[in-house]
């Protein structure tokens, strides 16, 4: 099993149970104890887990936000497909507000060679947008929202960020919710994140939601906006007839990847 595969396996195990031993991970990953211990040190450094004697402990509680390091390991292929589809929806010259999170970083990376004006809400997305292949000569014009930077997440938060977002008008807001629910709509894990997301979508003419299938099964507790505020959802979730009927009530366009 390759390193990335082991890391994803370890992260997935710790999403299902609060603690795991090195011995159990050796069996699950078909790897030596020394290899697993190195993996745990790397993942602990990325905020995915906490090292304990003989193994590792999950940092995730029910309804809490998994750390950026853990989310970055999850659903990578789906996030890349979603990001490419979102970037394809953006017209040259658009002013775009881009949410924070691992999916948003992939969107920034996919849009790095585009002629856009982009306000990314995290330092990861900022770096991805600024560091892309610009051989064709195109590069997004980047706006910074200001505010405070949340440790670990490296996203912009607070009243200054919200005020600066609301002082502008965007063609498109790309929102990456922590969870999506047919009844409640878009949700976040905390009030500060929800406030920033609301400011972004309320300042845009069009709202594009980027949400992997896992976001439709996730737990989050703070309401951001109902599905009636959404224009397009880009997702790898497979919807049944009942789901499609629900989305049609809100006139939401679905782009499946």
């Amino acid at each position: 099993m390759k390193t990335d595969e082991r890391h994803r396996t370890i992260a997935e195990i710790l999403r299902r149970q609060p603690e795991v031993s090195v011995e159990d991970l050796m069996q699950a990953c078909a790897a030596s104890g020394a290899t697993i211990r190195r993996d745990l040190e790397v993942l602990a450094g990325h905020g995915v887990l906490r090292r304990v004697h003989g193994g590792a402990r999950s940092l995730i509680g029910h309804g809490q936000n998994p750390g950026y390091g853990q989310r970055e390991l999850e659903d990578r292929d789906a996030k890349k497909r979603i990001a490419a589809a979102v970037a394809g929806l953006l017209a040259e010259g658009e002013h775009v507000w881009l949410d924070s999170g691992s999916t948003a970083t992939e969107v920034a990376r996919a849009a790095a060679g585009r002629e856009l004006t982009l306000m990314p809400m995290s330092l990861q997305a900022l770096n991805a947008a600024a560091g892309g292949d610009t051989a064709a000569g195109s590069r997004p014009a980047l706006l910074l929202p200001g505010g405070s930077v949340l440790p670990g997440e490296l996203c912009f938060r607070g009243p200054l960020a919200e005020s600066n977002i609301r002082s502008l008008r965007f063609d498109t807001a790309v929102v990456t919710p922590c969870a999506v629910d047919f009844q409640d709509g878009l949700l976040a894990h905390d009030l500060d994140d929800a406030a920033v997301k609301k400011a972004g979508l309320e300042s845009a003419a069009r709202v594009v939601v980027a949400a992997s299938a896992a976001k439709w099964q996730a737990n989050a507790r703070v309401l951001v906006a109902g599905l009636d505020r959404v224009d397009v959802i880009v997702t790898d979730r497979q919807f049944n007839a009942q789901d499609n009927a629900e989305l049609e009530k809100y006139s939401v366009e679905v782009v499946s990847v």
Side-chain angles (χ1 to χ4, degrees), residues 4-244:
D4 283 353
E5 293 175 308
R6 290 198 310 273
H7 288 180
R8 287 195 292 271
T9 298
I10 293 169
E12 180 57 33
I13 289 171
L14 285 171
R15 284 188 70 84
R16 299 193 303 263
Q17 61 192 62
E19 194 166 321
V20 66
S21 68
V22 170
E23 289 76 11
D24 287 343
L25 292 175
M26 290 168 58
Q27 183 175 1
C29 298
S32 69
T35 297
I36 293 298
R37 291 183 183 92
R38 285 195 298 270
D39 289 339
L40 295 181
E41 291 299 331
V42 171
L43 293 174
H46 284 83
V48 175
L49 52 84
R50 179 182 293 117
R51 288 286 276 120
V52 296
H53 180 70
R57 181 172 297 154
S58 173
L59 294 176
I60 307 170
H62 180 73
Q64 293 179 333
N65 188 16
Y68 183 91
Q70 174 145 351
R71 300 198 311 277
E72 192 176 25
L73 295 172
E74 298 171 345
D75 303 320
R76 279 184 169 180
D77 291 341
K79 289 175 182 177
K80 288 181 183 296
R81 296 197 309 273
I82 289 169
V86 170
L89 295 173
L90 304 177
E92 298 297 315
E94 277 201 51
H95 286 63
V96 180
W97 180 87
L98 178 60
D99 207 349
S100 61
S102 56
T103 303
T105 300
E106 291 298 335
V107 174
R109 189 170 289 116
R114 303 287 303 283
E115 291 185 1
L116 303 168
T117 298
L118 187 66
M119 178 180 278
M121 294 306 299
S122 73
L123 295 179
Q124 293 100 334
L126 174 67
N127 287 334
D133 181 6
T134 56
S138 297
R139 183 187 295 273
L142 299 174
L143 302 175
L144 293 183
S148 58
V149 176
L150 184 67
E153 293 291 317
L154 299 183
C155 58
F156 297 98
R157 297 284 185 86
L160 181 58
E162 295 167 38
S163 176
N164 287 338
I165 293 166
R166 292 185 186 279
S167 70
L168 299 172
R169 291 296 175 264
F170 300 92
D171 298 299
T172 301
V174 179
V175 183
T176 57
C178 303
V180 189
D181 182 88
F182 284 108
Q183 180 176 349
D184 295 323
L186 313 181
L187 299 106
H189 284 293
D190 62 72
L191 292 169
D192 289 340
D193 187 29
V196 166
K197 285 173 163 51
K198 286 180 182 178
L201 68 85
E202 289 173 359
S203 298
R206 178 178 65 158
V207 175
V208 175
V209 170
S212 65
K215 296 296 180 72
W216 297 83
Q217 302 168 349
N219 293 308
R221 300 173 178 176
V222 185
L223 298 177
V224 175
L227 291 179
D228 59 320
R229 294 301 310 273
V230 176
D231 297 291
V232 184
I233 291 176
V234 183
T235 184
D236 63 325
R237 170 175 169 149
Q238 299 299 312
F239 293 110
N240 59 33
Q242 182 177 351
D243 296 338
N244 287 325

